[in-house]
Amino acid sequence: MLGYNLWWGYVVAARDNVQNEKKYILALDQGTTSSRAIVFNQKAQKISSAQQEFTQHFPKPGWVEHDSEELFLCQLTVAQEAIRQARISPSRVAAIGISNQRETVVVWDKRTGKSVYRAIVWQCRRTADMAQKLITDGLTPMIQEKTGLIPDAYFSATKIQWILENVPGAREKAEKGYLLAGTIDTWLIWKLTGGKVHVTDYTNASRTMLFNIHTLNWDEDLLKLFNIPRSMLPEVKGSSEVYGLTDKSVCGFEIPIASCIGDQQAALFGQGCFSEGSVKTTYGTGCFMLMNTGEKPISSRNELLTTIAFGVKGKIQYALEGSVFMGGASIKWLRDQLGIIRTARECDALAESVPDSNGVFMVPAFTGLGTPYWDPYARGIIAGLTRGVTKAHICRATIEAIAFQVKDLLVCMEEDAGSHIKEMRVDGGASVSNVMMQFQSDILNTPIFRPKNVETTALGAAFCAGLAVGVWKNKEEILNNSTVERIFTPEMSDERRRTLHFQWKKAVDRSMGWSRPE
């Protein structure tokens, strides 16, 4: 082993002598079910990657939690592994970029570095009643005007409020200035820098329901409404700038952290959707459609969210967003809870083995419904079952359910835009499914462009970090690195499309309000 390490040391030293320039970016992609790390070169090619799932905690129906310490250690482990697999010295890595699951909240004691409660995940519905009270009290217009968001348990504010009100001693510690709060990007940066840096970026701040997207500041009225001390919240910075260095004693290396950006905005950036009107949908645990609306926020008439797309080089761009809570997670449910498949590939194979769903419609409202329904009390259903239905039809219905939910988003987006969207760019793990993407194109009646690299969330974080440290000079250079792998075009008749969508809406109606208290 000693001989190998000595030999490898010579190899690394030789390479570094040949080219000392820092041409690599390490992207940390902190998702809802797993942590990934990818090393990209200057041509935006993936050199190495590592991925590791972490534990999902469901203490009560509708509650979803993560162990924040496990989440950090998982992310650190894959970061170290990706660098090792790339066979480069950490000194060759110009910067780290972070993309993260949004809205998920950690509250921790800055004196001990330990969280006071598990991270409450964006999918968690425990604060549905708190959000409903905001609506009942007539606060929706004020919140929407300031934040671009609709009151919902999805966002971070009620989660922080819940922790302060339900964890013994938390409120007192917060008032004394001992507690810090943040979304997952903030938690990771704080841990990676050894507790030296407490920051977030505009995109993540805009998802908290505490941030004014017009003034670009934490809003005093909202902080008062949710009774959250300002001292808990991080400094808000751009999506592409150096925040600090990783702590060598924590990470084993010292590399600048030069970007953090919410995962869906990262995918928008990674897809090169820099111009007004460009649209992408990410198929991950959930599905998220974003349209770049330029430098002015646009209010939606169709229950879409107005959010910050990215803040790069001092310029803010905004987006309209539609959110589907259960995307690829629906397929994971088939695997982990029902046990009718072993892998996502098997789901695809079964779905492709039948011509249609045999009249079955699945509404995966396991954690409520997002855009355009915003019903935290909706629950999942499978409708249209007959004795002729097989697990292949269930798989097909689940895949089609993901596409139907995206159809709901596109209808809203087109109405707000006042025109038909001519093409949609897709990414995310579930977008590799050919049967899903073909059905998506069919039900939307819109061409689907799938890039060669569907890991555009990580790529977007890498691009932001690279821009900050000069690995890429500008957005034009980034666009030169984009390649399309396949285009899916519609093959379904208009009549069939209308019939299927009508039946889908009937199934959604039956799922809504299911768990609402009498």
Side-chain angles (χ1 to χ4, degrees), residues 66-104:
H66 294 154
D67 183 316
S68 56
E69 194 64 32
E70 179 193 7
L71 188 148
F72 165 68
L73 291 174
C74 189
Q75 187 65 77
L76 178 59
T77 299
V78 295
Q80 293 168 334
E81 177 64 14
I83 292 175
R84 189 191 68 80
Q85 287 188 16
R87 297 193 172 191
I88 59 171
S89 164
S91 64
R92 297 286 304 284
V93 179
I96 291 173
I98 298 173
S99 67
N100 59 283
Q101 53 168 311
R102 304 170 303 170
E103 297 93 20
T104 298

XYZ file of all heavy atoms in Angstrom, residues 66-104:
303
model
N -34.912 14.341 7.379
C -33.563 13.830 7.135
C -32.706 14.079 8.370
O -32.904 15.092 9.060
C -32.897 14.540 5.947
C -33.543 14.279 4.634
N -33.465 15.159 3.572
C -34.277 13.229 4.179
C -34.116 14.666 2.529
N -34.622 13.506 2.883
N -31.768 13.187 8.617
C -30.761 13.423 9.648
C -29.716 14.351 9.036
O -28.982 13.955 8.120
C -30.135 12.099 10.077
C -29.116 12.254 11.212
O -28.302 13.203 11.139
O -29.107 11.431 12.120
N -29.650 15.582 9.513
C -28.791 16.587 8.871
C -27.315 16.212 8.948
O -26.544 16.500 8.021
C -29.016 17.964 9.502
O -28.805 17.921 10.896
N -26.900 15.556 10.033
C -25.501 15.156 10.159
C -25.174 14.037 9.175
O -24.123 14.045 8.529
C -25.198 14.708 11.598
C -23.719 14.600 11.909
C -22.976 15.930 11.828
O -23.574 16.974 12.124
O -21.790 15.913 11.428
N -26.078 13.078 9.035
C -25.886 12.006 8.057
C -25.820 12.591 6.651
O -24.995 12.178 5.821
C -27.027 10.989 8.141
C -26.900 9.850 7.124
C -28.156 9.013 6.964
O -29.198 9.373 7.546
O -28.103 8.013 6.220
N -26.697 13.551 6.382
C -26.735 14.189 5.070
C -25.393 14.851 4.756
O -24.844 14.683 3.651
C -27.873 15.201 5.069
C -28.255 15.886 3.772
C -29.758 16.188 3.768
C -27.490 17.173 3.599
N -24.839 15.590 5.719
C -23.542 16.245 5.491
C -22.425 15.222 5.282
O -21.628 15.345 4.349
C -23.176 17.151 6.666
C -21.728 17.565 6.658
C -21.241 18.406 5.678
C -20.838 17.055 7.599
C -19.893 18.759 5.639
C -19.504 17.406 7.572
C -19.024 18.258 6.593
N -22.356 14.216 6.145
C -21.293 13.210 6.035
C -21.397 12.444 4.722
O -20.385 12.101 4.110
C -21.354 12.251 7.224
C -20.975 12.870 8.580
C -21.215 11.871 9.708
C -19.515 13.329 8.577
N -22.622 12.204 4.288
C -22.850 11.543 3.006
C -22.316 12.396 1.857
O -21.625 11.917 0.960
C -24.348 11.297 2.849
S -24.812 10.284 1.453
N -22.594 13.707 1.911
C -22.119 14.606 0.865
C -20.597 14.740 0.880
O -19.956 14.763 -0.172
C -22.762 15.979 1.024
C -22.471 16.953 -0.108
C -23.062 16.510 -1.425
O -24.251 16.642 -1.656
N -22.240 15.980 -2.315
N -20.026 14.809 2.060
C -18.571 14.912 2.166
C -17.901 13.650 1.643
O -16.891 13.722 0.924
C -18.174 15.149 3.624
C -16.665 15.224 3.913
C -16.012 16.348 3.121
C -16.417 15.414 5.412
N -18.467 12.496 1.967
C -17.895 11.215 1.519
C -17.853 11.124 0.004
O -16.836 10.735 -0.586
C -18.703 10.043 2.101
O -18.634 10.081 3.528
C -18.165 8.707 1.605
N -18.956 11.490 -0.656
C -18.974 11.379 -2.123
C -18.088 12.439 -2.760
O -17.526 12.215 -3.843
C -20.414 11.433 -2.687
C -21.207 10.223 -2.221
C -21.135 12.723 -2.320
N -17.936 13.596 -2.114
C -17.024 14.617 -2.639
C -15.590 14.098 -2.646
O -14.858 14.232 -3.639
C -17.124 15.893 -1.803
N -15.184 13.510 -1.543
C -13.833 12.942 -1.452
C -13.647 11.803 -2.444
O -12.606 11.682 -3.091
C -13.587 12.464 -0.016
C -13.530 13.594 0.999
C -13.582 13.110 2.442
O -14.127 12.031 2.726
N -13.043 13.896 3.369
N -14.696 10.986 -2.600
C -14.612 9.845 -3.513
C -14.532 10.301 -4.969
O -13.785 9.728 -5.773
C -15.836 8.940 -3.314
C -15.928 7.749 -4.255
C -14.795 6.742 -4.097
O -14.070 6.802 -3.083
O -14.629 5.902 -4.996
N -15.282 11.341 -5.335
C -15.248 11.831 -6.722
C -13.870 12.359 -7.085
O -13.371 12.119 -8.196
C -16.306 12.913 -6.915
N -13.226 13.073 -6.162
C -11.870 13.570 -6.417
C -10.900 12.402 -6.553
O -10.039 12.387 -7.437
C -11.428 14.521 -5.286
C -12.255 15.817 -5.328
C -9.945 14.859 -5.415
C -11.968 16.770 -4.185
N -11.059 11.402 -5.680
C -10.172 10.226 -5.748
C -10.340 9.506 -7.082
O -9.351 9.138 -7.739
C -10.491 9.270 -4.594
C -9.482 8.121 -4.433
C -9.966 7.065 -3.474
N -11.105 6.342 -4.007
C -10.996 5.353 -4.911
N -9.807 5.005 -5.387
N -12.071 4.747 -5.339
N -11.600 9.325 -7.511
C -11.850 8.622 -8.772
C -11.347 9.420 -9.981
O -10.982 8.839 -11.001
C -13.333 8.318 -8.928
C -13.847 7.210 -8.023
C -15.275 6.822 -8.349
O -15.801 7.140 -9.410
N -15.919 6.128 -7.425
N -11.358 10.728 -9.864
C -10.880 11.567 -10.973
C -9.363 11.487 -11.141
O -8.817 11.895 -12.165
C -11.293 13.019 -10.751
N -8.689 10.986 -10.094
C -7.228 10.847 -10.114
C -6.531 12.188 -10.354
O -5.630 12.311 -11.185
C -6.794 9.806 -11.142
C -7.295 8.417 -10.825
C -6.612 7.367 -11.665
N -6.962 6.029 -11.206
C -6.356 4.905 -11.618
N -5.379 4.990 -12.527
N -6.716 3.732 -11.153
N -7.020 13.167 -9.643
C -6.390 14.488 -9.680
C -6.142 14.929 -8.244
O -6.821 14.494 -7.309
C -7.261 15.536 -10.401
C -8.631 15.671 -9.714
C -7.413 15.211 -11.872
C -9.476 16.815 -10.225
N -5.184 15.781 -8.095
C -4.942 16.377 -6.791
C -6.040 17.404 -6.504
O -6.485 18.116 -7.425
C -3.582 17.063 -6.781
O -3.481 17.950 -5.688
N -6.518 17.529 -5.262
C -7.498 18.573 -4.947
C -7.023 19.970 -5.330
O -7.841 20.857 -5.583
C -7.670 18.434 -3.429
C -7.336 17.009 -3.135
C -6.244 16.656 -4.101
N -5.710 20.163 -5.398
C -5.175 21.471 -5.773
C -5.498 21.835 -7.219
O -5.399 22.994 -7.614
C -3.655 21.501 -5.572
O -3.021 20.579 -6.431
N -5.896 20.840 -8.019
C -6.289 21.097 -9.415
C -7.738 21.539 -9.544
O -8.186 21.903 -10.637
C -6.078 19.832 -10.253
C -4.623 19.353 -10.347
C -3.787 20.230 -11.262
N -4.351 20.318 -12.590
C -4.283 19.347 -13.515
N -3.662 18.208 -13.234
N -4.811 19.529 -14.707
N -8.502 21.423 -8.449
C -9.914 21.803 -8.478
C -10.032 23.301 -8.217
O -9.656 23.789 -7.161
C -10.728 21.006 -7.429
C -12.196 21.438 -7.463
C -10.605 19.507 -7.681
N -10.546 24.018 -9.199
C -10.615 25.478 -9.104
C -11.670 25.942 -8.104
O -11.485 26.960 -7.442
C -10.913 26.075 -10.475
N -12.769 25.200 -8.002
C -13.844 25.644 -7.113
C -14.853 24.523 -6.914
O -14.902 23.552 -7.682
C -14.542 26.876 -7.678
N -15.657 24.698 -5.903
C -16.795 23.822 -5.619
C -18.076 24.595 -5.883
O -18.211 25.761 -5.500
C -16.779 23.349 -4.146
C -15.604 22.398 -3.913
C -18.093 22.669 -3.766
C -15.413 22.027 -2.450
N -19.017 23.948 -6.571
C -20.350 24.508 -6.757
C -21.360 23.599 -6.090
O -21.230 22.373 -6.141
N -22.360 24.175 -5.469
C -23.366 23.395 -4.734
C -24.751 23.646 -5.308
O -25.181 24.787 -5.458
C -23.374 23.770 -3.233
C -22.024 23.442 -2.590
C -24.512 23.046 -2.495
C -21.891 23.937 -1.160
N -25.437 22.555 -5.645
C -26.875 22.621 -5.912
C -27.557 21.780 -4.849
O -26.992 20.802 -4.366
C -27.215 22.099 -7.315
O -26.959 20.705 -7.411
N -28.762 22.162 -4.487
C -29.373 21.520 -3.332
C -30.888 21.440 -3.440
O -31.523 22.254 -4.118
C -29.026 22.304 -2.053
C -29.492 23.745 -2.110
O -28.866 24.588 -2.761
N -30.603 24.052 -1.453
N -31.443 20.427 -2.751
C -32.889 20.390 -2.555
C -33.288 21.676 -1.847
O -32.662 22.093 -0.887
C -33.281 19.172 -1.727
C -32.531 19.037 -0.401
C -33.134 17.994 0.521
O -34.323 17.972 0.748
N -32.295 17.112 1.048
N -34.321 22.311 -2.334
C -34.721 23.602 -1.791
C -35.773 23.417 -0.690
O -36.321 22.337 -0.519
C -35.303 24.475 -2.904
C -34.355 24.654 -4.087
C -35.058 25.309 -5.255
N -36.231 24.546 -5.657
C -37.147 24.980 -6.524
N -37.020 26.171 -7.078
N -38.187 24.228 -6.835
N -36.015 24.486 0.057
C -37.053 24.573 1.089
C -36.790 23.711 2.324
O -37.301 24.002 3.405
C -38.449 24.215 0.533
C -38.951 25.140 -0.537
C -38.621 24.682 -1.936
O -38.335 23.484 -2.123
O -38.636 25.533 -2.839
N -36.021 22.630 2.196
C -35.693 21.798 3.353
C -34.883 22.620 4.353
O -33.964 23.340 3.967
C -34.896 20.559 2.914
O -35.715 19.783 2.031
C -34.489 19.700 4.090
